[in-house]
Amino acid sequence: MTSDPKPVGVAVLGYGNVGSEVVRIIESSAADLTARIGAPLVLRGIGVRRVNANRGVPIELLTDDIDELVTRDDVDIVVELMGPVEPSRKAILSAIEHGKSVVTANKALLAGSTGELARAAERAHVDLYFEASVAGAIPVIRPLTQSLAGDSVLRVIGIVNGTTNYILSEMETTGADYASALADASTLGYAEADPTADVDGYDAASKAAILASIAFHTTVTADDVYREGITAITTEDFASAQALNCTIKLLALCERIVDEDGREMVSARVYPALVPAAHPLATVGGAFNAVVVEAEAAGRLMFYGQGAGGAPTASAVTGDIVMAARNRVQGGRGPRESKYAQLPIAPIGKVSTRYYVSMDVADRSGVLSAVAAEFANHGVSIAEVRQEGVVADSGERVGARIVVVTHRATEAALADTITALEELDVVANVASVLRLEGTDP
């Protein structure tokens, strides 16, 4: 007679929007989860800062003793949803050292410590899953680590921050300036009280580091990611983008590049960029996320959906819990960290793309030729140029603006060009420099 399978014990650290939703799914879907795993999934405890009776769960499940919870003998899987790098890192390492598999959505921690955590999990022969760390409910990590394990990933490009995508979408569709769009995002709950991590690109940079590490089998940290935010984007930039049949998105880009000496390198960067209307990422609006993966054999794959929020993120977390629990029941292991390639990180100056440059100039003859000469002097080929008058509120023409779109050039060459332009007496200022992604050279 077969005995009943041993339950799989779960401890959840953190009971915010995501943690409470994970607990709800575990409790409400118990029968389905048991059938999928092959054993009951039992909630053993919930780690919180302060224990009180108003949490909507039995108070005996709550504890503020995280250290004790993650080392309990009846806990098999620890789900870390507390947020900050510390004490999360300490709790995860303690859980791993005590033989617990770990599921986390902590992108900031993973972007700096993935290697340390993965090595600890390998030594302890336990699983480390983090599908929810990059794009909420959108499955990206598992396709990269499993579905494309036999392919060679060439490029990963995505919109991975819902707050900035909402702000930029509002600027485009309503004509609002950056400050107004940010205020609207805050009112709707898309932006935090301090939106710095989102609007300055730190959140997206952490996600780019995770994606690049997995896609290219190389250790990439958030510090390796070149980063620019969206705070300098103007309504004039959107008007120019529309004239070029483009929109503007904050992109996370990770790709293999080959330098002038033939060395293969990894580039990871985050910045606002012009995206052609025909590109699949151009239509991703509001707070949605999308990631496009380009692989040698599979070609272009796109993953789209809600990248944040309690329920979507909890869906990805629960999926990881099921995977870890199945491995416990069946005696298997999930994918290990793969960093065999260890390619060098490309400095931003070696990266090649196209550019949009807008500058305010003197309204007189010879200006356009002087500007074009500086691009040519630094080896940056011009694909398109447009000159228009600048009119004051009184209707008087008070200057001119030149918009240049280049062919592909290195960041180093473009930077030298901008420096030279700023030294020209006919250029009042270089108002905006944006990359143009998703086009042919």
Side-chain angles (χ1 to χ4, degrees):
M1 183 173 183
T2 304
S3 60
D4 291 334
K6 179 185 175 183
V8 179
V10 178
V12 176
L13 310 184
Y15 198 65
N17 290 337
V18 179
S20 59
E21 187 65 16
V22 168
V23 169
R24 185 196 67 77
I25 293 172
I26 290 174
E27 297 286 336
S28 65
S29 303
D32 284 343
L33 294 176
T34 297
R36 296 169 193 172
I37 293 167
L41 194 66
V42 179
L43 183 65
R44 301 298 191 188
I46 304 169
V48 294
R49 289 184 183 177
R50 291 177 294 277
V51 176
N52 62 66
N54 300 317
R55 299 274 191 172
V57 293
I59 195 168
E60 59 267 21
L61 283 175
L62 303 176
T63 179
D64 57 6
D65 191 343
I66 302 298
D67 292 338
E68 188 273 337
L69 178 59
V70 302
T71 61
R72 278 172 45 176
D73 291 339
D74 61 349
V75 169
D76 301 292
I77 301 170
V78 170
V79 183
E80 186 279 306
L81 301 168
M82 296 187 291
V85 171
E86 294 293 358
S88 300
R89 176 180 165 276
K90 177 184 176 183
I92 289 174
L93 287 173
S94 178
I96 289 172
E97 289 166 3
H98 285 83
K100 324 298 182 185
S101 291
V102 169
V103 173
T104 180
N106 197 326
K107 53 188 171 289
L109 172 59
L110 290 165
S113 302
T114 306
E116 177 189 21
L117 301 181
R119 287 190 295 273
E122 185 66 25
R123 288 193 299 269
H125 303 287
V126 298
D127 288 326
L128 174 66
Y129 284 108
F130 47 91
E131 180 65 69
S133 64
V134 170
I138 305 172
V140 177
I141 304 299
R142 198 164 288 121
L144 286 172
T145 56
Q146 298 182 40
S147 303
L148 296 173
D151 207 338
S152 180
V153 176
L154 306 174
R155 196 168 196 242
V156 181
I157 175 172
I159 297 166
V160 294
N161 182 271
T163 300
T164 52
N165 201 50
Y166 176 84
I167 292 170
L168 293 174
S169 296
E170 283 293 291
M171 293 178 70
E172 178 182 37
T173 58
T174 70
D177 61 15
Y178 167 77
S180 299
L182 173 59
D184 188 34
S186 299
T187 299
L188 293 173
Y190 291 133
E192 302 287 345
D194 180 1
T196 301
D198 293 322
V199 300
D200 283 348
Y202 290 101
D203 175 81
S206 292
K207 296 171 180 177
I210 296 169
L211 288 171
S213 295
I214 296 169
F216 306 123
H217 310 281
T218 294
T219 301
V220 182
T221 70
D223 290 339
D224 295 320
V225 180
Y226 177 83
R227 176 191 52 79
E228 293 180 15
I230 67 167
T231 56
I233 300 298
T234 65
T235 53
E236 289 80 8
D237 291 328
F238 272 101
S240 294
Q242 289 166 0
L244 296 167
N245 198 27
C246 292
T247 186
I248 300 174
K249 298 293 185 182
L250 182 72
L251 299 180
L253 299 105
C254 313
E255 63 181 342
R256 296 173 186 261
I257 67 171
V258 179
D259 69 7
E260 61 275 9
D261 298 321
R263 291 185 304 165
E264 191 175 36
M265 309 178 83
V266 169
S267 169
R269 53 201 194 271
V270 167
Y271 46 58
L274 274 72
V275 178
H279 194 280
L281 291 178
T283 58
V284 179
F288 278 75
N289 284 191
V291 177
V292 174
V293 178
E294 297 175 14
E296 196 169 84
R300 177 185 284 181
L301 308 170
M302 183 171 175
F303 305 88
Y304 168 84
Q306 296 188 60
T313 305
S315 171
V317 169
T318 308
D320 280 350
I321 295 172
V322 170
M323 296 296 291
R326 282 176 179 168
N327 291 340
R328 285 274 169 167
V329 172
Q330 298 171 6
R333 290 277 308 282
R336 278 66 157 178
E337 181 185 48
S338 173
K339 295 294 185 289
Y340 72 88
Q342 288 297 17
L343 298 172
I345 307 300
I348 190 63
K350 289 184 176 291
V351 173
S352 176
T353 190
R354 300 181 66 190
Y355 305 91
Y356 149 94
V357 182
S358 171
M359 64 202 88
D360 296 318
V361 300
D363 190 12
R364 63 174 188 259
S365 62
V367 172
L368 185 55
S369 61
V371 167
E374 290 303 335
F375 279 89
N377 290 341
H378 294 88
V380 180
S381 175
I382 294 176
E384 183 177 343
V385 62
R386 187 173 73 253
Q387 185 171 355
E388 55 195 33
V390 177
V391 181
D393 292 339
S394 63
E396 178 186 3
R397 181 164 168 145
V398 295
R401 173 164 291 182
I402 292 177
V403 173
V404 172
V405 177
T406 77
H407 289 294
R408 188 171 291 274
T410 65
E411 289 273 348
L414 194 279
D416 290 342
T417 304
I418 298 303
T419 299
L421 290 171
E422 291 173 335
E423 293 174 353
L424 288 178
D425 59 0
V426 296
V427 176
N429 73 294
V430 176
S432 184
V433 179
L434 293 171
R435 285 85 176 173
L436 177 56
E437 299 288 352
T439 70
D440 294 329

